[in-house]
């Protein structure tokens, strides 16, 4: 047997290799670079504003002229961003745009009215988010212009501050006063960037109104104040309503109607101050979602419902300013009132760089988005270039706008190329040489045309008047193609799973399992082990049944609801195995009591898990009823409090007695006796610790101050010492025993004794009950093992392998984990 130990090392090595390869394809990573953009950086680019700077001198008199020498000329003076968390696209677009009308559609009627009446200054965008579609990753992507990866999802429950360059950092750095209200995730991501902030806790998904009411309280008054440049209000009611009640619910419809009313008041406040010289003469309003949601209110993945959200943009410039037709990719249709409404598409990846260009601040260093022409034109302002026949009425104005946009794209492309070059040189996991050469060639082609062709035409503008517009169109196309290629490459590396690596990892894992099965078969043939009671080479029902249970449990991990229901599923599968054993017990008329006790224990575990899950919800009926119920009992029976504190100690005493009896019956001495003695000492210390914390016994004076931590530390030390003794005994003991089953029994009891005290002190007063449940359940599993052998004289237990108890042990451990009050939570508001 010792000569074949290499098989175990081979299997372990294959497991490690499989996991490493699989995670390389699944846990996508992106290196965050500690570099930041500055206004002076643009001097290194081939882009210049010198050609048209004088022509545009008076275009935006309301914008500070000292800021015109940064990356782009400021086009707007103020920006209002209203974020409706989990805003689906069909919440905003007319129901006629979809195959089937739903109850939640057409509730934001004011948005549709503006888009229909003021098509040139109000536009609906379908915004496409990149997965993962959790709020933290979407806010990170919106502000950095990059692609957060799936490995960042774990941070959704404790959002770390963003350290890479981002839109909020650039705003604060360049003197923009930013005010934030609503979801407190913004404060976690940007802790020191806001001039004023009014954060509200977002973690309680059952609270639909606290965050929204806080936003409403501060939003409207701030629209009449001058001490801000960018205002951010993040509402959470729709997201929370979706999680708790679903999209098709009364609560969701009520929230959407509330938002419709809020938007109407916001727009009225902005319009009333948008006259020439008014506070919002040059203000842009953006109403947007960070991601969508499924019908059940879930999000995080990459389905169409989750990635499709919306941006509604309103410019208060006068007169309104449409986009040249060659850059307008909008789709139009009729709403229920037979009015024509158009919407455009935008990638959320483009949001940060577009807003930066409109505000005239440097683009975030790691942004790989493109300045969106529709949103940029709506904010920056264009002119009525065409008449009803499609003929250009003012070519000089069209050339001026296209030149300005081409210059912005030039800066945009230079910034993206700079980031890709530095990232590839700095990151261990960069892009391939082939990909880098391809995008470098595309950028060189666009830069060469800009430097040698387009600028020459600009210098001789009068002589080449007819050639300038086609040249500018071609220049814009080259920059757009380069930026699109970079975005596609980045998505393939950072947001799309590498299916080949994942498949390779799974294949290697299957190979390791095959080797494992072959090794079992070899041992079975050499040593005569069998899966059947008759000792033949057949496959027993127990083996098939166990494999079926394992497959069912593995498949359940593919279900979204399994995250919250794992404890229930494990209990159900464990009860199924217990019923099979009960059937054997009844057929053999043996160990019926053990089978019944095991089923009863599973039922208690199932009830305990249900109680634990109900405690998750602060507004649940259990949480509302439980305190008053306890108070009534305590008031009616004063002795109840004493009994509640005494029962855990009684359970400890019973536990110590059972462990002592288990070792005594094995007639074993030596190291095993000292293990039990250490456990009994730990149990006594636990009882003293609980007594010192009791309000009824008033023994707090016994362990004052830091003395209260001495007992737990001593218990941990005793447990560690017990584990060391067991380790040394396993490694250096040369004592041989012919009774392998008895030796296994003793080691099991000793191991339980060693770690039980540490687990109990960590679990609190429920710890002894969990330990008792473990002992009772374990005893029943061992007793019910191989029932058919127990009734046969001369049955060789040592040569019989029954996989059902192994499956039961695994499921029982999962059940006990959830019985202790643990649960898995999927919380998406962050």
């Amino acid at each position: 047997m010792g000569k074949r130990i290499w098989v175990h090392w081979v299997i372990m090595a294959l497991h490690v290799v499989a996991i490493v390869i699989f995670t390389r394809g699944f846990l996508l990573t992106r290196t965050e670079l500690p570099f930041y953009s500055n206004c002076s950086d643009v001097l290194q680019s081939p882009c210049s504003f010198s050609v048209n700077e004088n022509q545009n001198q008076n275009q935006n008199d309301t914008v500070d002229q000292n800021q015109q020498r940064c990356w782009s000329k400021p086009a707007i003076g103020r920006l209002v961003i209203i974020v409706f968390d989990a805003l689906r696209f069909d919440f905003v677009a007319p129901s006629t745009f979809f195959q089937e009308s739903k109850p939640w559609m057409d509730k934001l009627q004011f948005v549709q009215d503006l888009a229909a009446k003021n098509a040139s200054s109000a536009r609906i965008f379908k915004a496409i988010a990149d997965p993962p579609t959790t709020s933290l990753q979407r806010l990170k992507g919106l502000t950095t212009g990059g692609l957060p990866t799936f490995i960042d999802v774990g941070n959704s429950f404790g959002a770390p501050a963003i350290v890479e360059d981002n839109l909020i950092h650039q705003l604060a750095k360049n003197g923009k006063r930013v005010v934030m209200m609503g979801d407190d995730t913004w404060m976690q991501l940007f802790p020191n960037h806001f001039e004023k902030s009014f954060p509200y806790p977002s973690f309680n998904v059952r609270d639909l109104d606290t965050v929204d009411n806080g936003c409403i309280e501060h939003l409207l008054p701030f629209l009449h104040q001058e001490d801000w440049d960018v205002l951010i209000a993040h509402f959470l009611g729709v997201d929370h309503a979706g999680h708790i009640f679903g999209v098709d619910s009364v609560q969701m419809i009520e929230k959407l109607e509330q938002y419709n009313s809020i938007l109407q008041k916001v727009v009225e406040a902005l319009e009333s101050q948008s006259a020439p010289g008014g506070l919002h003469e040059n203000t842009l309003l953006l109403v947007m979602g960070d991601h969508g949601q499924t019908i059940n209110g879930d999000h995080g993945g990459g389905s169409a419902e989750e990635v499709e959200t919306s941006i509604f943009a309103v410019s208060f410039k006068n007169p309104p300013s449409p986009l040249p037709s060659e850059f307008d990719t909008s789709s139009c249709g009729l709403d229920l009132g037979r009015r024509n409404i158009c919407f455009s598409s935008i990638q959320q990846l483009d949001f940060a760089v577009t807003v930066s260009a409109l505000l005239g601040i440097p683009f975030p260093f790691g942004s790989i988005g493109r300045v969106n022409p529709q949103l940029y034109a709506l904010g920056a302002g264009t002119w009525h270039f065409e008449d009803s026949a499609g003929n250009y009425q003012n070519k000089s104005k069209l050339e001026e706008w296209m030149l300005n946009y081409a210059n912005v794209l030039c800066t945009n492309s230079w910034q993206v190329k700079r980031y890709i070059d530095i990232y590839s040189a700095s990151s261990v996991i960069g892009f391939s040489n082939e990909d880098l050469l391809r995008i470098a060639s595309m950028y060189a082609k666009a830069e060469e045309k800009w430097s040698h062709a387009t600028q020459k035409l600009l210098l001789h503008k009068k002589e080449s008047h007819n050639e300038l517009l086609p040249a500018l169109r071609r220049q814009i196309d080259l920059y757009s193609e380069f930026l699109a290629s970079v975005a596609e490459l980045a998505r393939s590396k950072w947001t799309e799973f590498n299916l080949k690596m994942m498949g390779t990892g799974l294949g290697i894992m299957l190979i390791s399992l095959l080797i494992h099965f072959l090794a079992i078969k070899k041992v079975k043939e050499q040593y005569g082990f069998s899966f059947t009671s008759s000792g033949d080479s057949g496959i027993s029902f127990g083996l098939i049944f166990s494999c079926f249970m394992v497959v069912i449990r593995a498949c359940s991990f593919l279900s979204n609801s399994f995250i919250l229901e794992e404890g229930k599923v494990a209990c159900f599968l464990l009860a199924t195995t217990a019923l099979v054993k009960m059937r054997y017990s009844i057929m053999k008329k043996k160990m019926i009591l053990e089978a019944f006790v095991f089923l009863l224990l599973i039922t208690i575990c199932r009830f305990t898990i249900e109680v634990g899950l109900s405690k998750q919800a602060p507004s649940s009926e259990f949480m509302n009823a439980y305190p008053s119920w306890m108070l009534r009992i305590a008031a009616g029976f004063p002795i109840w409090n004493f009994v509640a504190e005494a029962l855990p100690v009684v359970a400890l005493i019973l536990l110590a007695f059972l462990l002592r009896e288990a070792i005594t019956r094995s007639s074993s001495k030596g190291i095993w006796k000292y293990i039990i003695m250490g456990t009994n000492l730990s149990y006594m210390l636990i009882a003293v610790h609980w007594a010192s914390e009791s309000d009824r016994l008033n023994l707090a004076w016994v362990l004052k101050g830091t003395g209260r931590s001495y007992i737990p530390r001593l218990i941990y030390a005793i447990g560690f010492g017990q584990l060391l003794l067991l380790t040394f005994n396993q490694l250096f003991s040369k004592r041989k025993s012919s009774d392998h089953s008895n030796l296994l029994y003793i080691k099991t009891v000793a191991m339980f004794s060693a770690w039980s005290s540490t687990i109990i002190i960590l679990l609190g007063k429920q710890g002894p009950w969990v330990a008792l449940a473990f002992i009772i359940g374990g005893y029943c599993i061992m007793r019910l093992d191989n029932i058919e052998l127990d009734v046969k004289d001369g049955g060789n237990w040592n040569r019989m392998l029954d996989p059902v108890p192994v499956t039961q042990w695994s499921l029982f451990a999962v059940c006990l984990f959830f019985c202790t009050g643990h649960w898995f939570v999927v919380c998406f508001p962050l």
Side-chain angles (χ1 to χ4, degrees):
M1 194 73 171
K3 296 180 180 180
R4 293 183 175 82
I5 195 67
W6 61 268
V7 175
H8 302 285
W9 291 107
V10 170
I11 294 173
M12 185 177 70
L14 287 174
H15 282 182
V16 172
V17 172
I19 292 172
V20 170
I21 295 177
F22 181 86
T23 53
R24 283 292 300 273
F26 179 73
L27 297 179
L28 306 173
T29 58
R30 179 178 66 87
T31 304
E32 296 182 351
L33 302 182
F35 302 111
Y36 299 86
S37 298
N38 299 292
C39 277
S40 58
D41 294 347
V42 77
L43 299 176
Q44 306 169 17
S45 75
C47 314
S48 173
F49 294 93
S50 59
V51 175
N52 65 331
E53 190 176 54
N54 293 330
Q55 298 176 0
N56 295 335
Q57 184 71 31
N58 299 319
Q59 181 177 338
N60 292 309
D61 293 334
T62 58
V63 181
D64 187 359
Q65 299 296 320
N66 293 327
Q67 298 180 7
Q68 292 187 7
R69 294 272 181 184
C70 205
W71 287 33
S72 62
K73 287 186 60 176
I76 59 175
R78 288 185 164 203
L79 176 65
V80 178
I81 301 176
I82 298 178
V83 181
F84 291 150
D85 207 291
L87 184 71
R88 289 166 56 104
F89 178 64
D90 59 5
F91 288 168
V92 179
S95 59
T96 54
F97 285 21
F98 305 94
Q99 294 182 350
E100 184 180 356
S101 179
K102 298 293 184 180
W104 59 81
M105 296 180 181
D106 298 320
K107 301 306 176 184
L108 296 178
Q109 193 62 48
F110 182 71
V111 171
Q112 298 178 19
D113 292 342
L114 278 181
K117 296 176 183 178
N118 305 310
S120 58
S121 59
R123 175 62 60 94
I124 296 174
F125 291 84
K126 176 191 283 187
I128 308 300
D130 291 289
T133 49
T134 54
S135 292
L136 182 143
Q137 279 67 41
R138 285 296 83 231
L139 293 181
K140 186 174 182 180
L142 284 167
T143 55
T144 63
L147 295 169
T149 61
F150 277 89
I151 202 170
D152 295 330
V153 172
N155 291 328
S156 292
F157 306 100
I162 295 178
V163 296
E164 61 181 326
D165 199 5
N166 59 80
L167 175 63
I168 306 300
H169 173 81
Q170 288 295 338
L171 289 171
K173 182 180 178 181
N174 289 275
K176 301 292 184 181
R177 299 162 298 176
V178 185
V179 175
M180 190 284 303
M181 56 197 69
D183 186 356
D184 61 355
T185 304
W186 289 86
M187 296 302 300
Q188 300 174 40
L189 295 175
F190 314 103
N192 303 306
H193 294 76
F194 300 114
E195 187 81 9
K196 295 180 180 179
S197 60
F198 306 93
Y200 295 89
S202 60
F203 204 73
N204 183 9
V205 294
R206 292 185 175 271
D207 185 354
L208 306 185
D209 300 314
T210 298
V211 177
D212 290 359
N213 291 341
C215 288
I216 296 170
E217 178 184 354
H218 298 287
L219 176 58
L220 294 175
F222 263 98
L223 296 180
H224 299 276
Q225 300 178 17
E226 300 182 3
D227 56 346
W228 58 270
D229 299 298
V230 178
L231 189 151
I232 301 171
H234 192 144
F235 292 75
L236 284 176
V238 162
D239 180 69
H240 288 185
H243 286 309
I244 302 303
F245 304 105
V247 170
D248 191 4
S249 64
V250 175
Q251 291 81 0
M252 179 65 75
I253 293 174
E254 290 176 349
K255 269 296 165 186
L256 291 174
E257 291 174 343
Q258 180 189 26
Y259 288 177
N260 186 68
S261 176
I262 293 169
L263 288 180
Q264 185 172 358
K265 294 177 181 178
V266 169
V267 172
E268 288 175 353
L270 294 174
E271 281 186 335
S272 65
Q273 305 171 78
S274 62
L279 186 61
H280 297 298
E281 175 189 5
N282 200 23
T283 296
L284 178 67
L285 169 65
L286 296 178
V287 181
M288 59 186 296
D290 52 351
H291 51 74
Q293 57 178 306
T294 65
I295 298 297
N296 295 326
D298 299 328
H299 56 87
S303 67
E305 291 179 314
E306 295 168 283
V307 302
E308 291 181 0
T309 181
S310 182
I311 295 178
F312 177 61
V314 183
S315 175
F316 295 93
K317 289 181 182 291
N318 192 22
S321 311
L323 181 71
S325 59
E326 55 260 51
F327 301 109
D328 191 354
T329 58
S330 60
S331 301
C332 300
L334 299 178
D335 67 355
L336 293 175
R338 311 304 296 174
R339 299 174 300 180
N340 188 59
I341 295 181
C342 300
F343 73 91
S344 304
S345 293
I346 183 175
Q347 298 289 328
Q348 280 194 352
L349 192 68
D350 302 337
F351 178 82
V353 67
T354 304
V355 171
S356 297
L358 288 170
L359 290 168
I361 61 175
F363 307 160
F365 185 88
S367 173
I368 57 173
R370 180 191 67 149
V371 176
N372 182 271
Q374 290 93 348
L375 184 57
Y376 182 74
L378 191 146
T382 58
W383 293 263
H384 290 286
F385 298 124
E386 303 174 17
D387 58 19
S388 59
N391 300 316
Y392 289 109
Q393 298 294 310
N394 194 334
K395 280 193 174 183
S396 63
K397 292 296 186 181
L398 174 62
E399 291 171 355
E400 186 178 338
W401 186 89
M402 291 183 66
L403 175 58
N404 182 54
Y405 183 60
N407 218 342
V408 170
L409 279 188
C410 176
T411 306
N412 189 184
S413 301
W414 166 79
Q415 168 262 323
V416 171
K417 180 62 166 58
R418 178 184 67 166
Y419 169 69
I420 292 297
D421 290 342
I422 296 178
Y423 181 88
S424 300
S426 305
S427 176
V428 177
I429 308 175
F431 302 103
S432 66
N433 291 330
E434 180 182 350
D435 291 330
L436 291 176
L437 289 174
R438 178 172 57 85
I439 61 175
S441 174
M442 297 181 68
Y443 178 75
K445 183 178 179 181
E447 184 181 1
E448 181 181 4
K449 181 171 178 57
W450 175 261
S451 301
H452 298 91
T454 307
Q455 287 194 351
K456 286 183 180 180
L457 291 174
L458 292 171
L459 293 173
H460 303 85
K461 190 173 182 181
K462 293 182 180 180
E463 294 81 358
S464 57
H465 184 73
N466 294 327
E467 300 177 23
L468 184 56
L469 277 177
L472 288 174
R473 291 191 186 98
R474 178 57 180 160
Q475 189 68 58
I476 291 173
D477 289 341
L478 288 174
Y479 283 136
S480 298
E481 290 171 4
F482 164 75
L483 292 169
S485 297
V486 173
E488 182 182 359
L489 174 63
R491 286 190 177 96
S492 68
K493 297 294 183 181
W494 297 331
T495 65
E496 296 179 6
F497 295 131
N498 190 329
L499 298 180
K500 291 183 179 179
M501 295 191 71
M502 293 173 62
T504 302
L506 289 175
I508 295 175
M509 183 66 73
L510 291 176
I511 292 174
S512 70
L513 293 178
L514 178 61
I515 295 176
H516 206 150
F517 283 128
L518 293 176
I520 293 175
K521 182 179 179 182
K522 188 69 175 177
V523 172
K524 175 176 173 290
E525 293 174 352
Q526 184 169 355
Y527 293 93
F529 285 107
S530 174
F531 292 110
T532 62
S533 58
S534 59
D536 56 28
S537 59
I539 298 178
S540 67
F541 169 79
L543 177 61
I544 298 175
F545 178 72
S546 297
C547 291
F548 180 73
M549 289 291 104
V550 172
V551 170
I552 290 295
R553 176 161 164 75
C555 291
S556 66
F557 279 104
L558 303 176
S559 169
N560 291 332
S561 61
F562 180 80
I563 296 176
L564 290 176
E565 306 294 340
E566 182 178 358
K568 297 179 182 179
V569 173
C571 270
F572 174 78
L573 296 178
L574 182 60
T576 303
T577 64
L579 287 173
V580 171
K581 289 294 184 180
M582 171 70 82
R583 174 178 174 273
Y584 274 115
S585 298
I586 296 175
M587 290 174 60
K588 304 295 182 180
K589 298 181 180 180
K590 289 284 186 177
M591 301 181 221
I592 297 177
L593 177 62
E594 287 87 342
F596 175 79
V597 170
F598 191 46
L599 273 174
L600 179 62
L601 180 64
I602 296 172
T603 304
I604 295 173
C605 288
R606 177 66 176 80
F607 174 76
T608 305
I609 292 173
E610 190 68 40
V611 172
L613 287 174
S614 65
K615 289 182 180 180
Q616 294 183 62
S619 59
S620 67
E621 294 181 3
F622 178 85
M623 291 298 290
N624 291 333
Y626 179 76
S628 59
W629 174 68
M630 290 295 295
L631 288 175
R632 287 196 301 269
I633 292 181
F637 304 94
I639 199 174
W640 168 256
N641 290 328
F642 176 78
V643 173
E645 293 184 358
L647 281 178
V649 179
V650 174
L652 270 180
I653 296 173
L654 178 60
L655 196 59
F657 173 77
L658 291 175
L659 291 176
R660 179 179 175 279
E661 285 296 309
I663 290 295
T664 302
R665 289 186 178 184
S666 67
S667 65
S668 180
K669 299 180 180 180
I671 188 175
W672 315 113
K673 183 174 72 172
Y674 295 107
I675 294 293
I676 295 298
M677 289 176 59
T679 300
N680 290 336
L681 175 60
S682 296
Y683 287 172
M684 287 188 287
L685 291 174
I686 291 173
V688 172
H689 179 69
W690 287 346
S692 67
E693 292 184 334
S694 173
D695 295 331
R696 298 183 63 83
L697 298 179
N698 295 323
L699 296 178
W701 58 271
V702 177
L703 299 171
K704 293 183 179 180
T706 58
R708 299 183 65 181
S709 64
Y710 288 157
I711 289 181
R713 292 176 182 177
L714 182 58
I715 293 172
Y716 300 150
I718 293 174
F720 183 71
Q722 290 173 307
L723 291 175
L724 283 180
L725 282 177
L726 292 175
T727 302
F728 281 115
N729 181 74
Q730 182 68 22
L731 293 176
F732 303 111
S733 177
K734 297 183 178 180
R735 179 185 174 186
K736 302 294 181 180
S737 174
S738 57
D739 191 353
H740 296 290
S741 60
N742 186 58
L743 182 61
L744 177 62
Y745 169 78
I746 295 173
K747 288 183 177 181
T748 302
V749 174
M751 181 62 70
F752 174 83
S753 301
W755 59 254
S756 63
S757 55
T758 301
I759 299 299
I760 290 173
I761 193 69
L762 291 174
L763 290 178
K765 295 184 179 181
Q766 65 175 339
W769 303 109
V770 174
L772 279 175
F774 174 83
I775 288 181
I776 295 172
Y779 172 80
C780 292
I781 291 174
M782 296 176 69
R783 285 287 293 159
L784 294 172
D785 184 10
N786 301 316
I787 296 176
E788 62 271 23
L789 287 180
D790 188 79
V791 299
K792 290 186 178 182
D793 295 331
N796 194 347
W797 183 89
N798 288 322
R799 296 188 180 275
M800 170 67 184
L801 292 178
D802 186 4
V804 175
V806 178
T807 306
Q808 289 179 319
W809 275 112
S810 174
L811 295 172
F812 188 49
V814 176
C815 291
L816 289 180
F817 172 80
F818 289 99
C819 284
T820 57
H822 296 87
W823 57 73
F824 293 145
V825 175
V826 181
C827 189
F828 291 111
L830 290 180

